[in-house]
Amino acid sequence: MMGTKFHTIIEPFRIKTVEPIRQTTEAERRVALETAHNNVFLLKARDVIIDLLTDSGTGAMSVYQWAGMMKGDESYAGARSFDVFEKSVKDITGFSHVIPTHQGRAAEHILFHTLVKPGDIVPNNTHFDTTRANVEDMGGIPLDLPIHEGRRAESVHPFKGNMDVAKLEQVLEEKGERIPLVMLTVTNNSEGGQPVSLANVREVSALCRRYEVPLFIDACRFAENAWLNKTRDHSLSHRTARSIAQEMFSLADGCTMSAKKDGMSNIGGFLAMNNGTIASQCRARLVLTEGFPTYGGLAGYDLEAIAVGLNEALDEDYLRYRIRSIEYLSERLLACGVPLVTPAGGHALYLDARRMLPHIPQKEFPAWALSLVLYLEGGIRAAEIGSVMFGRRPDGSERPAELELVRLAFPRRMYTQSHVDYVAEVVQYVNSMASRIRGVRIVEAPPVLRHFTAHMAPAHGALVA
Ligand code: F0G
């Protein structure tokens, strides 16, 4: 714990192993972008200077995680590493059944395969893409119920990730028998990495218990969510992030987890719950698709890394640095007038391309154009969350997305303050040339999840006039 005499928040780690960053010139990046068909997902990672594409599986592991990996027990059944993993998950979540999976979406698949029937409705504050797709894959209907402020880039609310409790009550009342479970995604990734308040979890939990519908937490960023509760809700400031997280889990019946986020690991996930009957059904599916219940698609050494990582994610010096570094970037950018989703999210900052590039119509994908210019000018890779990702309707027609955002997602424990300063400088520069940035068009794209592989081109000859 740092003293109170000095205000500088340091990276609470020393660097023991380094991976060189290859510097590139603008001319090299221009060629790389052309080769990648103007899609940053198709770039080679070695051509990227600062990679903010995702915080998922991209972080740096600690010496304790690496040491744990050396102790990995690779027995097919009953491995000691499973006991270590299970204990760590149980200490934090309190759930009695712990089922390891290779990543978050595998936990979702198994859970929904077990609980969701065609025509069922699954309410969530906001489904993440894979959660939505897995509900739909079972013939279910994913229903997003974010609060009103969650959908507005500029609105001010400490917990913009919350679920709209009144709307939830209405659907439970009217369609309760078609609702096999309710989910809460913490933090709310699709609405800007915004936290869900513990008060909101309490309310949602009380409603679910009243209507006897199980509540599952999509817990990917549970530690960041706990810290944002501690720092934004004064009634929780005396509590530890760990106890806030534990209380949140105690209000639910189970969770799905991607350990690639707050598990501080490069791969892994789990499904956990209290209901033994559902857990048995899930394990039966697990054996078909992932593996034996004591490894579930992971190596023994992955289980060890996650067991340590879950606890490191709750370390308060780490959380203070983690959340502060993104807030710091947001303060620097706001000070020079860069339009952002505010307040800053827990794992990412979202640039508002519609306000930055008002001259580019949504049919020319302003957020995508912005992602290309960030790469061209500064070698920064960030993901579009706009009309390329969400604009295609199932019938093939186009409908502009509600928001045109570029997400700068920060890998955990990877970048230092000078990297963040560099990002601030590049974004500020790109903002100053905004009026010269031109739109883009789709050359070819697959019908689903097209942003991953689409080939794009400038709509008017050059990307920058
Ligand atoms: N739920 C949320 C809220 C997520 O953000 C993700 C992944 C998943 C579930 C699925 O987990 O990738 O381990 O299968 N989000 C990553 C991202 C991919 O970039 O936001 P997974």
Side-chain angles (χ1 to χ4, degrees):
M1 181 66 195
M2 257 174 291
T4 48
K5 200 164 157 190
F6 303 108
H7 296 294
T8 308
I9 294 173
I10 62 166
E11 286 88 9
F13 48 79
R14 299 190 291 182
I15 296 169
K16 196 156 189 156
T17 308
V18 297
E19 182 179 6
I21 293 176
R22 195 173 72 92
Q23 301 285 345
T24 52
T25 63
E26 193 180 324
E28 286 169 336
R29 293 194 294 270
R30 199 171 290 282
V31 174
L33 207 52
E34 260 171 45
T35 312
H37 303 282
N38 293 294
N39 182 343
V40 296
F41 279 101
L42 302 179
L43 288 167
K44 300 279 181 209
R46 68 185 295 274
D47 294 330
V48 175
I49 296 176
I50 306 281
D51 205 341
L52 306 180
L53 195 60
T54 178
D55 64 321
S56 182
T58 49
M61 291 211 299
S62 70
V63 289
Y64 303 107
Q65 287 179 290
W66 284 109
M69 287 181 77
M70 291 305 294
K71 293 187 289 186
D73 175 354
E74 304 303 340
S75 307
Y76 191 92
R80 189 196 52 81
S81 296
F82 175 74
D83 298 338
V84 175
F85 169 81
E86 186 186 42
K87 178 174 185 324
S88 179
V89 175
K90 281 187 176 174
D91 283 350
I92 295 168
T93 68
F95 296 129
S96 29
H97 298 274
V98 179
I99 299 171
T101 60
H102 81 274
Q103 62 183 81
R105 66 199 69 182
E108 293 160 13
H109 170 80
I110 290 169
L111 180 66
F112 300 151
H113 198 274
T114 308
L115 292 183
V116 178
K117 295 187 304 300
D120 280 354
I121 300 167
V122 180
N124 199 323
N125 44 351
T126 314
H127 288 81
F128 179 67
D129 324 9
T130 58
T131 326
R132 171 181 303 282
N134 270 302
V135 171
E136 286 173 346
D137 193 43
M138 294 312 301
I141 302 160
L143 180 66
D144 289 344
L145 300 175
I147 57 168
H148 176 71
E149 289 85 347
R151 283 273 155 94
R152 318 209 98 66
E154 289 165 275
S155 64
V156 188
H157 188 291
F159 295 102
K160 279 169 87 169
N162 281 358
M163 180 179 260
D164 187 323
V165 179
K167 285 197 185 137
L168 176 66
E169 181 160 17
Q170 198 185 342
V171 290
L172 284 169
E173 184 62 40
E174 290 169 7
K175 304 186 174 132
E177 75 290 347
R178 284 170 59 198
I179 300 177
L181 78 163
V182 170
M183 291 202 74
L184 262 182
T185 306
V186 307
T187 55
N188 190 335
N189 187 8
S190 307
E191 305 289 353
Q194 301 292 326
V196 176
S197 70
L198 188 57
N200 191 246
V201 184
R202 288 186 189 128
E203 284 183 285
V204 169
S205 167
L207 269 179
C208 288
R209 289 189 178 162
R210 173 136 61 87
Y211 286 88
E212 297 180 4
V213 174
L215 171 63
F216 275 72
I217 309 270
D218 176 342
C220 298
R221 299 178 180 88
F222 74 96
E224 289 168 4
N225 199 73
W227 180 258
L228 288 166
N229 267 277
K230 180 181 165 90
T231 53
R232 290 185 187 173
D233 176 347
H234 294 305
S235 74
L236 297 172
S237 56
H238 66 288
R239 304 252 309 257
T240 60
R242 189 182 185 88
S243 90
I244 295 169
Q246 284 168 329
E247 181 179 339
M248 177 192 72
F249 286 116
S250 77
L251 293 161
D253 302 286
C255 73
T256 57
M257 173 73 187
S258 167
K260 301 172 76 171
K261 283 85 165 174
D262 281 348
M264 305 290 244
S265 297
N266 302 124
I267 194 72
F270 56 84
L271 175 60
M273 66 190 77
N274 286 329
N275 185 309
T277 314
I278 300 173
S280 303
Q281 290 165 359
C282 288
R283 285 196 190 95
R285 183 80 196 160
L286 185 86
V287 176
L288 271 184
T289 58
E290 294 280 293
F292 191 77
T294 57
Y295 72 84
L298 294 170
Y301 53 66
D302 295 322
L303 296 169
E304 298 273 351
I306 297 165
V308 177
L310 289 169
N311 289 299
E312 290 183 347
L314 285 168
D315 178 278
E316 301 206 351
D317 287 339
Y318 157 74
L319 282 168
R320 184 178 295 106
Y321 136 81
R322 165 85 176 151
I323 301 298
R324 178 60 198 153
S325 60
I326 294 161
E327 199 177 59
Y328 165 79
L329 178 62
S330 112
E331 283 168 11
R332 282 202 50 177
L333 295 180
L334 286 173
C336 55
V338 176
L340 303 176
V341 175
T342 50
H347 67 294
L349 198 67
Y350 296 68
L351 306 177
D352 186 347
R354 206 141 47 149
R355 278 189 288 147
M356 191 190 287
L357 307 170
H359 55 286
I360 303 182
Q362 278 189 280
K363 64 178 185 340
E364 291 182 8
F365 308 113
W368 192 276
L370 178 57
S371 75
L372 298 182
V373 178
L374 284 173
Y375 175 72
L376 202 58
E377 294 296 336
I380 296 170
R381 174 154 72 168
E384 185 242 29
I385 302 189
S387 293
V388 178
M389 190 181 269
F390 296 124
R392 190 184 190 278
R393 289 199 275 197
D395 67 3
S397 63
E398 292 283 326
R399 178 180 51 194
E402 254 176 86
L403 296 170
E404 296 289 344
L405 306 177
V406 173
R407 183 182 78 166
L408 309 176
F410 283 77
R412 291 167 181 75
R413 301 188 292 208
M414 166 131 321
Y415 293 121
T416 65
Q417 183 166 355
S418 69
H419 294 117
V420 176
D421 285 333
Y422 173 77
V423 173
E425 198 182 338
V426 172
V427 176
Q428 189 178 347
Y429 176 77
V430 168
N431 188 49
S432 73
M433 62 184 275
S435 63
R436 294 194 288 123
I437 299 174
R438 297 284 173 265
V440 293
R441 64 186 171 84
I442 296 175
V443 177
E444 59 177 72
V448 281
L449 297 175
R450 63 183 181 181
H451 54 287
F452 290 129
T453 53
H455 292 185
M456 308 288 288
H460 305 284
L463 188 57
V464 180

